[in-house]
Amino acid sequence: MAAHDSFDRLDDDDYPAYTMGRAAEMLGATQGFLRAVGEARLITPLRSAGGHRRYSRYQLRIAARARELVDRGTPIEAACRIVILEDQLEEAQRINAERRRTSPGPPAA
C-alpha cells in the first residue's frame, strides 16, 4: 500500500491507525484497561504484521464509553456489557427506523 493510500484511510473510522500506547494516551487510560476491554470482548484490536495491537477511532469511542462507566464505579465486565447492549439497541433502533421509512403505510380504509 502506498503512503498516500495510508494517509487517505485516516478518515476511515474503522482504520486501525493507533498503537496501544497512543490509544491509551488518547483515552487517558492504561494499556491494561485496553487489554481488559479486549478480554471482555468489547473491542477486538487488529494486529500489525509484528503482532502489535492497533485500534480504530470507532474502537476508541467504544472504549471511552466503557471508561466513563468504570470511572463512575461500574465493574469493567459490567461496563463492557452495558456498552455492548447500548450498541445493539442503537443498531436495532436504526434498523426499525429504516424499515418504517421504506415500508408502505397501512392500507386505506
Side-chain angles (χ1 to χ4, degrees), residues 68-82:
E68 289 173 11
L69 293 168
V70 169
D71 287 350
R72 291 185 198 150
T74 305
I76 195 159
E77 298 81 12
C80 290
R81 186 67 184 141
I82 289 167

Side-chain angles (χ1 to χ4, degrees), residues 32-46:
F33 173 81
L34 286 171
R35 280 190 288 276
V37 296
E39 289 169 9
R41 297 184 180 190
L42 177 61
I43 57 174
T44 303
L46 292 172

Side-chain angles (χ1 to χ4, degrees), residues 34-69:
L34 286 171
R35 280 190 288 276
V37 296
E39 289 169 9
R41 297 184 180 190
L42 177 61
I43 57 174
T44 303
L46 292 172
R47 297 284 182 151
S48 68
H52 300 282
R53 290 174 179 91
R54 306 284 295 193
Y55 298 89
S56 69
R57 286 189 299 195
Y58 173 76
Q59 289 173 321
L60 294 182
R61 281 196 302 273
I62 296 293
R65 176 67 183 125
R67 179 159 187 261
E68 289 173 11
L69 293 168

